[in-house]
Amino acid sequence: MTEEPPVSYFEELSRLNNELVNFQRELAKKNHELDELNKLKNEFLGIAAHDLRNPLGVIMGYCTSLLDESEGVLSETQKMMLESILKSSEFMLGLLHELLDISAIESGKVKLVLSKADLVPLLRKNVELNSVIAHKKNIRIHYKCEEEVPEVHFDSSKIEQVLNNLISNAVKFSEPDTDINVSISSDNSKVTVSVADNGPGIPYSEQELLFKPFEKLSVRSTAGESSTGLGLSIVRNIIVAHGGKIWVESEEGKGSTFYFSLPERSNK
């Protein structure tokens, strides 16, 4: 005959169960508060970034005008100061645009304008545009495409943003007199784009931080180019919104290859 557990056992079990229920309620409450704070944060970022764009535009306009009319009027030191102000203003404006993108993405306000089209012309155009910048560092961008790549559903402006980020990053982190290889292919109902550089590579321990906002890695650009730490986070969100995937393969000293794929058929 089994012995009945003491009454205190049931009392203790009931007490622990009540504590667990209270803890779950408190956790749900805190999560709700965090969601509300995150919404407020996104609204603040959006408002601040939007309101700062106009004065920055004015600063850039005045700097450009003064530099255009500086011949014989300003000293070399004064021109250098104006160029520094203009460069810093351009960086800040880029940061504001990225903050607006992040706040829109996190608040769920990003709407894709999807259409079925050929991705190849957009990729080729972006390669050509970035080749001008790459030429300043004596970097060659090689482009390879399969004979036939199926059309996919994508938002042209958003995917152009993705392509520009990946290719310009490859230029930014590549040494002078090296090569960048950009290719597009199709397989298993998806189209895949890859951007491979011969840069320093990314330490394995840091690769998981690549697509998180505001993360700064130990890898540095080769000509002092600036970075906000937001670009790849925005890129990842855009690709995920398309129902696609993005990833990187990299090894220290052997360069990096970034890939993204888009499905041939959109579920959006």
Side-chain angles (χ1 to χ4, degrees), residues 39-79:
K39 288 177 185 176
L40 287 173
K41 180 262 294 180
N42 288 330
E43 287 177 11
F44 171 76
L45 281 178
I47 292 169
H50 188 273
D51 288 349
L52 287 170
R53 281 192 303 180
N54 286 339
L56 269 175
V58 172
I59 292 170
M60 291 170 61
Y62 283 155
C63 283
T64 302
S65 178
L66 287 170
L67 285 169
D68 288 342
E69 300 171 9
S70 63
E71 194 63 38
V73 178
L74 300 177
S75 67
E76 288 302 314
T77 300
Q78 289 171 327
K79 285 196 288 186

Side-chain angles (χ1 to χ4, degrees), residues 1-264:
M1 187 174 182
T2 57
E3 186 178 343
E4 292 289 332
V7 175
S8 59
Y9 171 84
F10 292 108
E11 290 175 344
E12 181 65 12
L13 189 61
S14 178
R15 184 186 67 80
L16 291 173
N17 184 63
N18 288 336
E19 286 185 1
L20 178 60
V21 170
N22 289 333
F23 176 77
Q24 289 173 331
R25 286 175 181 165
E26 187 64 22
L27 183 60
K29 179 183 175 184
K30 294 298 182 185
N31 283 335
H32 177 72
E33 290 174 356
L34 284 173
D35 286 340
E36 291 301 313
L37 287 172
N38 192 52
K39 288 177 185 176
L40 287 173
K41 180 262 294 180
N42 288 330
E43 287 177 11
F44 171 76
L45 281 178
I47 292 169
H50 188 273
D51 288 349
L52 287 170
R53 281 192 303 180
N54 286 339
L56 269 175
V58 172
I59 292 170
M60 291 170 61
Y62 283 155
C63 283
T64 302
S65 178
L66 287 170
L67 285 169
D68 288 342
E69 300 171 9
S70 63
E71 194 63 38
V73 178
L74 300 177
S75 67
E76 288 302 314
T77 300
Q78 289 171 327
K79 285 196 288 186
M80 184 181 67
M81 292 169 67
L82 277 174
E83 287 169 355
S84 179
I85 293 170
L86 182 59
K87 185 177 179 181
S88 296
S89 298
E90 288 172 344
F91 173 75
M92 288 179 67
L93 189 61
L95 175 58
L96 290 178
H97 287 153
E98 291 187 336
L99 285 172
L100 283 169
D101 282 339
I102 282 287
S103 91
I105 287 168
E106 290 191 352
S107 64
K109 292 180 181 177
V110 170
K111 294 197 177 170
L112 300 179
V113 181
L114 298 173
S115 60
K116 190 175 183 180
D118 187 355
L119 186 56
V120 171
L122 187 65
L123 178 58
R124 189 184 294 119
K125 169 190 167 187
N126 211 274
V127 167
E128 291 171 357
L129 289 174
N130 278 282
S131 291
V132 176
I133 300 170
H135 181 71
K136 295 178 182 178
K137 295 176 72 173
N138 200 28
I139 293 172
R140 298 162 295 277
I141 303 179
H142 305 283
Y143 169 72
K144 181 181 178 183
C145 173
E146 284 186 353
E147 288 186 5
E148 290 186 12
V149 175
E151 292 185 336
V152 289
H153 289 85
F154 65 94
D155 182 314
S156 180
S157 64
K158 291 287 189 286
I159 294 301
E160 184 169 16
Q161 188 176 352
V162 170
L163 292 171
N164 184 61
N165 182 278
L166 296 181
I167 299 174
S168 64
N169 272 355
V171 174
K172 188 183 297 184
F173 291 96
S174 290
E175 293 291 343
D177 199 30
T178 56
D179 298 281
I180 293 169
N181 293 296
V182 178
S183 68
I184 182 169
S185 60
S186 62
D187 181 44
N188 296 328
S189 300
K190 69 180 182 297
V191 171
T192 301
V193 174
S194 67
V195 179
D197 63 50
N198 288 297
I202 304 161
Y204 181 77
S205 61
E206 297 182 7
Q207 290 179 23
E208 63 179 16
L209 304 176
L210 271 173
F211 300 103
K212 295 181 179 179
F214 300 107
E215 293 288 351
K216 292 295 183 79
L217 309 186
S218 59
V219 182
R220 294 290 175 260
S221 59
T222 55
E225 297 98 331
S226 301
S227 175
T228 62
L230 285 171
L232 285 175
S233 173
I234 293 169
V235 161
R236 178 187 176 279
N237 279 286
I238 290 173
I239 295 300
V240 170
H242 278 79
K245 295 180 180 178
I246 184 166
W247 68 99
V248 64
E249 294 176 1
S250 184
E251 187 176 344
E252 285 187 85
K254 296 186 178 180
S256 305
T257 303
F258 283 83
Y259 301 86
F260 74 84
S261 63
L262 298 177
E264 286 183 34

